[in-house]
Each structure stands twice: as C-alpha cells, then as structure tokens.
Amino acid sequence: MATLHLVDHPMIQHKLTIMRKKDTSTKDFRELLNEISMLLGYEVTRDFPVCDVEIETPLQKMTGKEITGKKVAIVPILRAGLGMVDGLVSLVPVAKVGHIGLYRDETTHKPVFYYCKLPLDIEQRIVIICDPMLATGGSACDAIQLLKDKGCASIRLMCLVSAPEGIAKVQQEHPDVDIYTAAVDTCLNEHAYILPGLGDAGDRIFGTK
C-alpha cells in the first residue's frame, strides 16, 4: 500500500491557513503556494540517496555528502499544478519539468489528454507529480498511469490539500505511489469540491474567478 505522508510542519500549517481564507489575494495565494511547495519538497526528497564526496574548504579537506542516483522530473497536472513548480525547482534546480493536461469526457468518462510534454529520458527519472488538490483522485490516477505506460517506475504524488476519497482511489489503483500532502480534509461535496478546502486552486492562482 502506498504510504500517505502528512507533512504538518507548523510553518506549512500557518501558510495553508492563510491560503484557505476567502479574502486572501491572488498575489499572496500564489506566493504562499510557492513557499509551501518548497517545504513539501523537503519531505518528498528526504530519502534521496547520497554518496561521499571529497571536497576542500578554505581551511582543509573533508568528506561531504552529495545526492546520487536517479535524476528528477517535476510534472505538474495543468493548470493548477503549475503553481507548485517554482517552489520545487528552487529546491531541485537541476530537475527537468514536464507537463500533463487532461480532462474527462462527459460521455465516456475516460481521460482525454490534450497536452503531454515530458523529458525524453522520463523513464530514468524520479518523477514528482504535483497538483494542489487531490479531490476524487481521477486526474492523479490518470496521470500516474500515463507515466507508467511510458516506463516510469519511481513516481511520487505531491498535493497541498487532499480528500479521503482521492487518497483511497490513488492507494487502490497505484499502491506503489506515495502521496505527500499538507492536509487531509473532511470529504467531498456534491460537486466534488474538497471541504473545507480552499476553493478552486487554479482560479485562485491565476485570478480567473
């Protein structure tokens, strides 16, 4: 079963509370999401392997630590996931960034991918999928499956706010993908919005509502 990592650091919770307020401005919402994304990134990358490396300080030689192993790819789910990219890139500046855009066909209920651009060596990288809201879990599961179909074997899902329903769906369909989130809220309402949530993340990031 995929592990759920609830990252409830006081600074994250403080910033998230401000983001939830309905009168928080677009500017502040965007900046706070960027800050929280970097803080979440510390936990997502906590188990990255390191190796010894010989360096020389201004005073003497020493053995330090350096990240080794697979390279990283950051893959936001459009459009709201874009708001989490800068924070992660600040933490892992050498990461490559892909993009996945999808929606569900209202008749067939199957995913329709309207955009997908990924690094050519995506299957060789640790992939961090980012989307602020894990509601029903449908988009996350579809994005994960697309990446698996392209050969990705190391995938992590990073969200800001999650609903129990979405967590359960990802854990059921992709038990090998760990979930990192700053909050697990109560439930979904009849319109599949997370309660208490923070509204439509995309609209609040880009000021479109």
Side-chain angles (χ1 to χ4, degrees), residues 96-117:
K96 290 189 176 180
V97 180
H99 299 85
I100 293 177
L102 62 88
Y103 66 89
R104 283 185 174 272
D105 186 282
E106 293 182 0
T107 302
T108 65
H109 301 294
K110 292 183 178 181
V112 177
F113 291 90
Y114 65 87
Y115 189 79
C116 181
K117 187 72 172 179

Side-chain angles (χ1 to χ4, degrees), residues 45-167:
T45 59
R46 177 178 289 277
D47 64 346
F48 277 16
V50 295
C51 64
D52 291 337
V53 58
E54 295 296 324
I55 65 169
E56 189 168 352
T57 77
L59 299 177
Q60 66 178 57
K61 292 181 179 180
M62 64 163 287
T63 300
K65 299 293 182 181
E66 188 175 74
I67 293 176
T68 186
K70 291 185 178 180
K71 297 179 180 179
V72 178
I74 300 164
V75 180
I77 298 177
L78 303 179
R79 65 180 169 144
L82 290 172
M84 306 180 80
V85 172
D86 286 350
L88 283 173
V89 170
S90 295
L91 185 67
V92 191
V94 296
K96 290 189 176 180
V97 180
H99 299 85
I100 293 177
L102 62 88
Y103 66 89
R104 283 185 174 272
D105 186 282
E106 293 182 0
T107 302
T108 65
H109 301 294
K110 292 183 178 181
V112 177
F113 291 90
Y114 65 87
Y115 189 79
C116 181
K117 187 72 172 179
L118 302 169
L120 293 177
D121 60 349
I122 189 70
E123 75 283 353
Q124 300 173 24
R125 294 175 175 268
I126 298 173
V127 180
I128 303 173
I129 299 175
C130 48
D131 194 356
M133 312 302 284
L134 178 59
T136 66
S139 295
C141 285
D142 294 338
I144 292 168
Q145 189 58 56
L146 180 147
L147 289 165
K148 286 184 174 180
D149 292 343
K150 292 184 177 296
C152 298
S154 180
I155 303 172
R156 304 169 187 211
L157 176 62
M158 190 180 94
C159 306
L160 182 66
V161 177
S162 301
E165 295 92 332
I167 293 169

Side-chain angles (χ1 to χ4, degrees), residues 8 17 22 55 98 122:
D8 57 356
T17 296
K22 64 181 182 180
I55 65 169
I122 189 70

Side-chain angles (χ1 to χ4, degrees), residues 26 30 79 201-209:
T26 297
R30 189 183 297 139
R79 65 180 169 144
D203 284 338
R204 298 196 68 185
I205 292 167
F206 298 108
T208 49
K209 193 173 182 178

